[in-house]
Amino acid sequence: MTLIFFTLALLLISLILYLRVHKNIQNRRKEKLDILLIDFINNYLFNEDFNKSTEIEVFKTKHLKTPLDNQIATHQILVFAENLKGESSAVIKEIFHGFGLYQILISDLKKKAWYKQAKALYVSYQLDLEIPIPLVDSLINAKNNDLRQQAFLYFLHRSTDKPLEFLDKVKTPLTLWQQIHIENGLKSFEGETPDFSRWLYHEITTVVMFCMKMVAEYNQYQHIPILLQFLNHENHEIRQQAIISLRKMEVPKMMSILIENFPEESIQIKQEILITIGEIGTEEHLKSVAPFIQQEESILKVEYLKMVRYFNPNTFKKHKGDFENIIHDKYV
């Protein structure tokens, strides 16, 4: 037993030492290749006497021998692409193709490893590369969230007039992070703002909710009638988002519907209604819903008393003790 444990310990130590040495060798290789790549790309960009066609083949044959080498080269090209625009960015793409990295990228897109596919899509839209659309279409509803996100961003960054057309093909719910990244991508989109009403009747609830958010974000007031209809939608989440979007757009016409629906709504939506009353409603609206706040609904009582204080500070003083007790019970 002692011999067995000694052997296992020796093997473990040997493995740790091997991994450490291997990592150090890779790091030195990376540092050396980074320097060579920076020097090569600078010469390719700015040295008029540089024989581009010959030197790119020599560099590729001599230095880009392994998958790690290709990864390092891709990373360094992305760094240059991020800092260069116009004609220089076109030259960077020329180097990418010259190194044979485009063929590797297409190969990675066809593999089953999601992280390789996601990285290939990221490189594609960062370098503004054209890749076969069917390859990207097949990833719009992939199982992995990050892979789907990169497929969305590829279409968004590559589009010149229809940045959200991929939503027509979405059959999987959008995650919160995907919605955030799509929204951020739209902010840098230079074309005409899409008409978000196109997807307000989408079969996927999260797509509908995202487009309602965007209707409010981009002040597409022409779609207010649809959002008003959604205040009576059968889906709880859609009703809640309709309230939030209409409140952001400051639509007073919603108040009568909210007051009417208040008794039958969930606590979450009742809370949104109270917040809405505080922002665009009146004290009369607040009085209308007061009888429908149950004794055990402490979160609504807190919100209600906040509104009382907002509309009529003098009236609030009479309820101050109750308000403080509710706050204490809620947080202590």
Side-chain angles (χ1 to χ4, degrees):
M1 291 295 293
T2 302
L3 183 60
I4 291 173
F5 280 116
F6 176 78
T7 303
L8 290 174
L10 186 62
L11 288 173
L12 179 60
I13 293 172
S14 299
L15 177 61
I16 293 173
L17 289 174
Y18 169 78
L19 292 175
R20 178 59 61 87
V21 170
H22 181 69
K23 183 178 180 180
N24 289 338
I25 292 173
Q26 281 192 328
N27 287 339
R28 286 197 295 269
R29 170 66 180 164
K30 180 180 181 301
E31 291 172 2
K32 180 180 177 181
L33 186 54
D34 275 336
I35 294 172
L36 291 171
L37 282 163
I38 291 171
D39 183 63
F40 175 86
I41 295 174
N42 280 323
N43 275 297
Y44 199 99
L45 287 168
F46 308 115
N47 188 349
E48 295 181 358
D49 298 327
F50 194 71
N51 191 328
K52 295 181 179 180
S53 58
T54 301
E55 293 295 337
I56 202 167
E57 284 298 325
V58 171
F59 191 96
K60 175 184 173 183
T61 304
K62 187 176 179 180
H63 299 294
L64 304 183
K65 299 178 180 179
T66 68
L68 177 62
D69 295 338
N70 292 325
Q71 290 177 24
I72 295 170
T74 300
H75 173 74
Q76 198 57 246
I77 287 173
L78 286 174
V79 172
F80 271 86
E82 186 177 349
N83 294 284
L84 296 173
K85 303 297 179 184
E87 294 182 4
S88 295
S89 62
V91 176
I92 291 296
K93 289 168 61 176
E94 186 179 301
I95 297 173
F96 186 84
H97 283 279
F99 282 162
L101 299 175
Y102 180 80
Q103 287 75 16
I104 295 173
L105 181 146
I106 296 298
S107 176
D108 285 345
L109 276 174
K110 295 178 180 179
K111 293 178 180 178
K112 293 183 178 181
W114 71 265
Y115 56 91
K116 290 188 177 181
Q117 293 174 312
K119 178 64 181 294
L121 288 171
Y122 173 79
V123 172
S124 296
Y125 67 74
Q126 289 295 328
L127 295 180
D128 197 26
L129 300 172
E130 291 187 14
I131 55 179
I133 295 301
L135 283 178
V136 191
D137 280 343
S138 65
L139 304 176
I140 287 177
N141 295 296
K143 292 182 179 180
N144 184 271
N145 290 335
D146 292 330
L147 180 54
R148 292 202 306 275
Q149 179 176 298
Q150 292 303 324
F152 300 158
L153 292 177
Y154 175 82
F155 283 117
L156 180 55
H157 284 281
R158 287 283 300 154
S159 175
T160 56
D161 58 348
K162 299 177 180 179
L164 296 182
E165 195 169 28
F166 63 86
L167 290 177
D168 292 332
K169 304 171 186 177
V170 167
K171 297 180 181 179
T172 307
L174 299 177
T175 67
L176 178 60
W177 278 112
Q178 287 168 354
Q179 293 179 49
I180 291 172
H181 280 286
I182 294 171
E183 182 178 353
N184 288 336
L186 283 171
K187 290 177 182 177
S188 59
F189 179 67
E190 297 180 354
E192 184 178 348
T193 302
D195 183 347
F196 297 104
S197 68
R198 174 175 172 178
W199 301 282
L200 287 179
Y201 296 99
H202 198 283
E203 61 180 340
I204 303 298
T205 298
T206 50
V207 175
V208 176
M209 293 172 64
F210 172 74
C211 289
M212 283 197 287
K213 291 178 188 176
M214 294 300 98
V215 165
E217 184 68 28
Y218 286 88
N219 296 320
Q220 294 186 347
Y221 294 105
Q222 67 271 30
H223 304 315
I224 286 176
I226 300 176
L227 298 188
L228 287 171
Q229 291 178 15
F230 282 173
L231 293 176
N232 293 309
H233 198 281
E234 61 182 10
N235 185 289
H236 174 276
E237 294 178 305
I238 290 179
R239 292 201 307 276
Q240 187 171 7
Q241 183 57 54
I243 294 171
I244 295 170
S245 294
L246 287 166
R247 181 172 70 225
K248 185 172 182 179
M249 299 169 79
E250 299 183 352
V251 182
K253 193 174 181 179
M254 69 187 292
M255 296 309 305
S256 59
I257 302 174
L258 296 183
I259 300 304
E260 181 180 350
N261 293 348
F262 189 89
E264 306 300 324
E265 287 291 7
S266 66
I267 290 180
Q268 292 82 2
I269 291 185
K270 284 180 178 178
Q271 188 177 14
E272 292 294 346
I273 292 174
L274 287 173
I275 293 171
T276 304
I277 290 173
E279 292 192 14
I280 63 173
T282 65
E283 189 174 7
E284 291 304 313
H285 292 137
L286 188 62
K287 291 178 180 178
S288 298
V289 301
F292 304 104
I293 298 176
Q294 304 301 319
Q295 183 65 30
E296 66 276 10
E297 295 173 339
S298 59
I299 190 169
L300 297 183
K301 291 168 70 177
V302 170
E303 202 65 51
Y304 172 78
L305 289 170
K306 285 181 182 178
M307 296 304 103
V308 170
R309 178 175 60 178
Y310 172 75
F311 285 117
N312 196 330
N314 293 327
T315 302
F316 172 75
K317 290 178 181 179
K318 300 177 183 178
H319 302 281
K320 185 175 182 182
D322 293 337
F323 181 78
E324 290 175 348
N325 289 335
I326 293 170
I327 290 291
H328 182 273
D329 293 340
K330 184 181 178 186
Y331 292 106
V332 177

